[in-house]
Amino acid sequence: MKANLLISYEPTHALLAKEEASSLLSSVKEKPKFLEADTPGLFKISVKDARKAVKELSKTYKKDKEKFKYTCNYVPIDDWCKSSVAEMQKKIKTFDKVIKNNEKWKMELHKRKYKDDGKLIVKLTEMINKPKVDLEKPDKIIKVEIIGKEAGISLLNKDELFSVKK
């Protein structure tokens, strides 16, 4: 079973964050399965529909920010691969067919336990041959979450991920 949802949290409050994540996901009719995550501050979770769950949780957050005391970022993951540049490029290249020429896009890259030469974002974005990069208001977001030797990669609409403003 692979994780299809990453939730980051304040590592000093892991138990409270897990209770909060469980409760929030249950409130949007998901049954979260917490998977092994050897990175403090990050839950790897398997749910039925991560994109739908994140959209619903975003609505919950807009109504009642108090429910989000310990968890921070909610990111659906489409697929996992090795965190080698070649493997990530291969996955990202498939998004070039999906992003339309008239759509604005950006890439968000988050690295944990990973060292690179500082040119990683360039090496990954060059796989997308679309003219409209927009870092402020993209239609599509290529999300790359690198955790050591593996990378979770997604192509998301702007309403399919969110961050709690602390």
Side-chain angles (χ1 to χ4, degrees):
M1 179 183 305
K2 287 276 190 188
N4 61 355
L5 178 62
L6 295 179
I7 299 177
S8 61
Y9 63 91
E10 176 54 51
T12 55
H13 298 296
L15 276 162
L16 292 167
K18 188 171 184 176
E19 286 173 18
E20 179 177 286
S22 290
S23 170
L24 287 166
L25 287 164
S26 295
S27 76
V28 296
K29 297 176 180 46
E30 283 288 356
K31 294 184 180 97
K33 289 178 191 70
F34 287 78
L35 306 174
E36 189 64 37
D38 55 358
T39 307
L42 190 68
F43 292 130
K44 288 169 122 181
I45 303 172
S46 176
V47 294
K48 196 169 68 204
D49 188 340
R51 289 167 186 264
K52 185 175 172 220
V54 170
K55 283 181 185 179
E56 292 301 315
L57 289 172
S58 179
K59 289 177 195 167
T60 302
Y61 176 69
K62 285 175 184 139
K63 286 185 208 142
D64 189 358
K65 292 174 177 46
E66 287 302 305
K67 289 184 177 179
F68 295 80
K69 286 187 175 93
Y70 305 105
T71 56
C72 309
N73 300 300
Y74 291 73
V75 182
I77 299 296
D78 291 338
D79 208 355
W80 291 90
C81 66
K82 289 188 172 80
S83 61
S84 71
V85 172
E87 287 291 315
M88 292 187 292
Q89 284 177 325
K90 198 163 41 171
K91 290 278 183 206
I92 290 166
K93 187 142 185 69
T94 64
F95 299 152
D96 193 54
K97 296 176 187 77
V98 182
I99 300 170
K100 296 175 183 70
N101 281 327
N102 64 343
E103 285 182 311
K104 299 176 288 188
W105 68 278
K106 77 172 179 176
M107 180 177 291
E108 288 183 1
L109 175 64
H110 200 144
K111 300 175 287 198
R112 297 170 184 88
K113 299 181 182 176
Y114 185 84
K115 292 189 176 26
D116 75 83
D117 59 10
K119 297 186 177 106
L120 182 61
I121 191 98
V122 173
K123 291 173 183 172
L124 298 180
T125 54
E126 69 187 14
M127 296 293 100
I128 304 297
N129 192 17
K130 299 297 181 212
K132 296 188 175 189
V133 174
D134 187 332
L135 302 179
E136 298 299 316
K137 291 190 170 136
D139 300 308
K140 299 284 186 200
I141 300 164
I142 299 169
K143 190 74 172 153
V144 181
E145 292 280 344
I146 301 174
I147 307 157
K149 291 179 168 46
E150 63 178 355
I153 298 179
S154 305
L155 179 60
L156 303 167
N157 294 314
K158 58 184 171 279
D159 65 342
E160 291 176 329
L161 77 163
F162 88 97
S163 295
V164 173
K165 307 286 182 258
K166 299 283 183 198

